[in-house]
Amino acid sequence: MKLGIYLNSQHRERDDPARRLAETLEQVRIIRALGFDSIWAGEHHLVPGFHYFPQLSLLLRIAPEAEGLTLGTHVTLLPLHNPVELAEVGAFLDLVTGGKFLLGVGLGYRPEEFAAFGVPMRERVSRLTEGVEIIRRLRTEDRVTHRGRHWQISDASIRPRPLQSRPPILIGAQAEAAIKRAARIGDGWLLVPTPTMEKLSEQMALYRAARSAAKLPMQEHICRLYEVACASDEETAFRRVAPYLLEKYASYASWGLGGVAEKRDGAPEEQLRRLAKDRFAIGTPAQVTDALLAQHRAGITQVAMRVSWPGMGQNDILASIELIGRNVLPKVRRRTSAGG
């Protein structure tokens, strides 16, 4: 199982963006030095009370600091974009990374974003499926002609071409219909952090059944965004991240994302324990290792570990990355490569 880090691109409105960018680059250099496999970034727009680094621009900026690592999007909100542009930028990122770029796309769910981009939310599924087809053809074919519901192109080619002969397109999905669609049209699947292990097992069975029904094999890219907090003892891990992780999930709930609401009573650590139970990896290196191995046994092939959230201090972020890199990463690699 491959292990990467999902960068926090969302920062509080009053934070100095130049400082936060410098901190992000420092994180990237340490991630690379410790031997992680990948770095991921997400996408959102017009986030009240926060600023959000633009996803593709951020990945291009960190690419020189992340030489040798896979860079991925988890996820790009495809319905908000022109697929020709995504095909071109994605091909360039593939070139910049030496053939190690993974484009992950999803529907999006915030009405404010669709309104700002002038895209009707009712069209998001059709735009996703049509966009995936266009991107895939532009990456692998010359002289592409497409006449669709949303886009029309004639005799089109993109240059430069991606280094990968067939760059994978991974599809983010958590609802039943979306998981089945991802299984049919994707080269991989991106999972969110919210399902419990029981729910993850149900979703994995659904995905496998849909792949089988479409007479398609399972793929290597089954990647989960996963909340991870690691410290020398469990109490410190919960105490260190509780205010920031809870604030993030309060934002999710306010945005209308289902399955993340949590009663806000009791101390922050108590609230986080309820939210994290059977869902996140929070604790000592041994506890985090066990949680990651459970993900592997469930069928996850790659984990994008989110180890920081808006407002969290750089020293705590770096301490967590280093502890995982030195005390978790080698054990997970050894045990998953040995079938553990």
Side-chain angles (χ1 to χ4, degrees):
M1 183 169 68
K2 295 181 179 180
L3 297 180
I5 299 292
Y6 178 98
L7 298 174
N8 171 43
S9 302
Q10 180 185 355
H11 303 287
R12 290 173 176 171
E13 192 171 43
R14 295 182 180 179
D15 285 0
D16 178 0
R19 176 187 171 189
R20 288 303 190 187
L21 177 58
E23 291 175 347
T24 299
L25 295 175
E26 183 181 14
Q27 293 166 26
V28 170
R29 288 190 287 269
I30 291 176
I31 291 165
R32 178 175 178 244
L34 289 170
F36 287 90
D37 297 298
S38 57
I39 291 176
W40 303 78
E43 177 183 22
H44 278 297
H45 304 273
L46 306 177
V47 182
F50 300 91
H51 59 79
Y52 212 105
F53 290 147
Q55 180 191 58
L56 298 174
S57 301
L58 177 63
L59 290 176
L60 283 166
R61 173 61 188 89
I62 71 172
E65 319 286 339
E67 185 178 1
L69 276 67
T70 295
L71 297 186
T73 63
H74 201 319
V75 296
T76 297
L77 306 177
L78 196 159
L80 303 182
H81 295 272
N82 186 301
V84 175
E85 177 191 19
L86 286 184
E88 290 180 338
V89 176
F92 186 66
L93 271 163
D94 202 60
L95 174 66
V96 168
T97 60
K100 292 188 172 185
F101 175 62
L102 293 175
L103 176 65
V105 300
L107 289 173
Y109 59 88
R110 296 182 65 229
E112 301 92 332
E113 293 174 324
F114 283 84
F117 280 78
V119 176
M121 280 195 72
R122 66 179 180 276
E123 295 179 357
R124 60 183 184 154
V125 172
S126 58
R127 284 177 177 270
L128 176 80
T129 54
E130 187 176 337
V132 166
E133 178 187 353
I134 293 170
I135 294 169
R136 180 173 286 127
R137 291 189 62 197
L138 286 171
R139 287 169 149 196
T140 58
E141 302 176 23
D142 273 325
R143 300 178 176 273
V144 173
T145 295
H146 174 87
R147 296 286 181 267
R149 174 181 172 186
H150 303 292
W151 296 285
Q152 295 79 40
I153 55 177
S154 298
D155 202 26
S157 298
I158 63 168
R159 294 291 187 276
R161 305 302 297 271
L163 295 184
Q164 298 179 79
S165 59
R166 183 183 167 87
I169 302 176
L170 318 183
I171 312 293
Q174 58 177 317
E176 180 175 341
I179 292 171
K180 290 180 178 178
R181 180 170 54 249
R184 291 193 306 269
I185 71 172
D187 304 306
W189 178 26
L190 300 177
L191 295 87
V192 297
T194 50
T196 62
M197 290 302 296
E198 180 180 1
K199 186 66 175 178
L200 174 62
S201 178
E202 294 172 3
Q203 291 183 343
M204 192 65 69
L206 178 65
Y207 185 84
R208 286 173 171 150
R211 290 289 293 181
S212 178
K215 300 187 183 330
L216 295 168
M218 285 294 287
Q219 313 112 319
E220 63 173 302
H221 301 295
I222 308 298
C223 178
R224 186 176 190 185
L225 172 59
Y226 198 41
E227 312 289 11
V228 177
C230 193
S232 58
D233 62 88
E234 183 180 331
E235 291 73 19
T236 298
F238 274 94
R239 184 176 64 254
R240 180 181 290 169
V241 304
Y244 311 110
L245 211 163
L246 289 173
E247 182 179 21
K248 179 65 176 175
Y249 276 77
S251 293
Y252 279 148
S254 71
W255 295 351
L257 185 63
V260 299
E262 178 61 34
K263 292 181 180 179
R264 300 301 296 266
D265 61 316
E269 293 93 323
E270 295 173 7
Q271 296 178 43
L272 182 55
R273 285 183 183 277
R274 292 196 299 268
L275 179 64
K277 186 178 180 181
D278 203 29
R279 181 179 275 137
F280 305 154
I282 301 178
T284 65
Q287 290 172 312
V288 171
T289 297
D290 287 344
L292 288 167
L293 291 173
Q295 297 296 306
H296 174 66
R297 290 191 293 270
I300 302 299
T301 66
Q302 299 187 62
V303 176
M305 294 179 283
R306 179 158 55 187
V307 300
S308 62
W309 303 270
M312 191 169 174
Q314 178 76 339
N315 289 342
D316 286 341
I317 296 169
L318 296 180
S320 186
I321 292 172
E322 184 157 358
L323 196 57
I324 295 168
R326 296 191 185 283
N327 296 299
V328 175
L329 180 61
K331 294 178 182 177
V332 171
R333 280 190 175 148
R334 183 171 61 251
R335 292 179 64 178
T336 57
S337 64

